[in-house]
Amino acid sequence: MNKSILLSKSDFKFLSEHFEKAIMSDYNKSRLRTEIKQATIFNDDELPYDVVSLHTEAKIVSTDNGKEFIFKIVLPKEANIKLQKVSIFAPISIALLGYQTNDLINWEMPDGIKEFKILAVRKLEASEL
């Protein structure tokens, strides 16, 4: 996959500042470092609506078992798994950040490298944060 990821300026800044402190595998960290370097950066209000970013809800499907997941990507302090709110530094958030609807993503999860397809992306309303 050589498609460059799409990031808003604020997501790019946040990732660049915090990514070295994030707890993730060497594989994911090295991959994310490359993706950030090659990313296409947009003004926050110009990022396409179907790109996974901070404060979006993503619906994905695992290509190996067809299982679907829906979660909201939020700041670490807002994370609450019971409300499907996942930290931007969770492995799945990092895997999806910057990708769009219908993209396929391979990422190292705790149980090995997995492939996911993004089915839908939606910006969260202020009341959902």
Side-chain angles (χ1 to χ4, degrees):
M1 268 226 258
N2 290 336
K3 175 185 177 216
S4 75
I5 61 171
L6 311 178
L7 293 174
S8 65
K9 282 184 177 174
S10 60
D11 282 356
F12 176 78
K13 182 175 186 289
F14 184 82
L15 279 175
S16 299
E17 289 172 0
H18 297 279
F19 136 89
E20 289 300 338
K21 291 179 261 177
I23 297 165
M24 64 180 94
S25 72
D26 291 341
Y27 171 86
N28 287 353
K29 197 169 260 200
S30 140
R31 190 154 157 203
L32 183 61
R33 186 179 293 117
T34 301
E35 288 185 343
I36 290 172
K37 275 187 200 145
Q38 298 171 351
T40 303
I41 311 299
F42 289 83
N43 287 326
D44 288 10
D45 58 350
E46 293 171 357
L47 187 71
Y49 69 92
D50 68 338
V51 173
V52 178
S53 62
L54 182 62
H55 297 133
T56 58
E57 179 181 83
K59 180 178 184 181
I60 64 171
V61 62
S62 169
T63 59
D64 67 342
N65 63 14
K67 193 168 179 186
E68 290 187 6
F69 306 90
I70 295 178
F71 48 85
K72 300 169 177 79
I73 297 176
V74 297
L75 292 171
K77 65 179 191 262
E78 300 165 344
N80 181 337
I81 205 66
K82 289 189 178 106
L83 300 174
Q84 296 173 306
K85 292 182 176 184
V86 180
S87 164
I88 192 168
F89 288 126
I92 194 64
S93 300
I94 290 167
L96 297 172
L97 221 53
Y99 286 95
Q100 293 176 279
T101 305
N102 293 321
D103 282 347
L104 288 173
I105 293 98
N106 291 296
W107 201 256
E108 188 176 26
M109 303 303 276
D111 57 344
I113 296 182
K114 302 290 180 196
E115 183 180 71
F116 298 94
K117 181 176 183 178
I118 301 175
L119 299 177
V121 179
R122 168 181 85 77
K123 297 249 185 262
L124 295 176
E125 303 295 324
S127 63
E128 296 178 275
L129 302 178

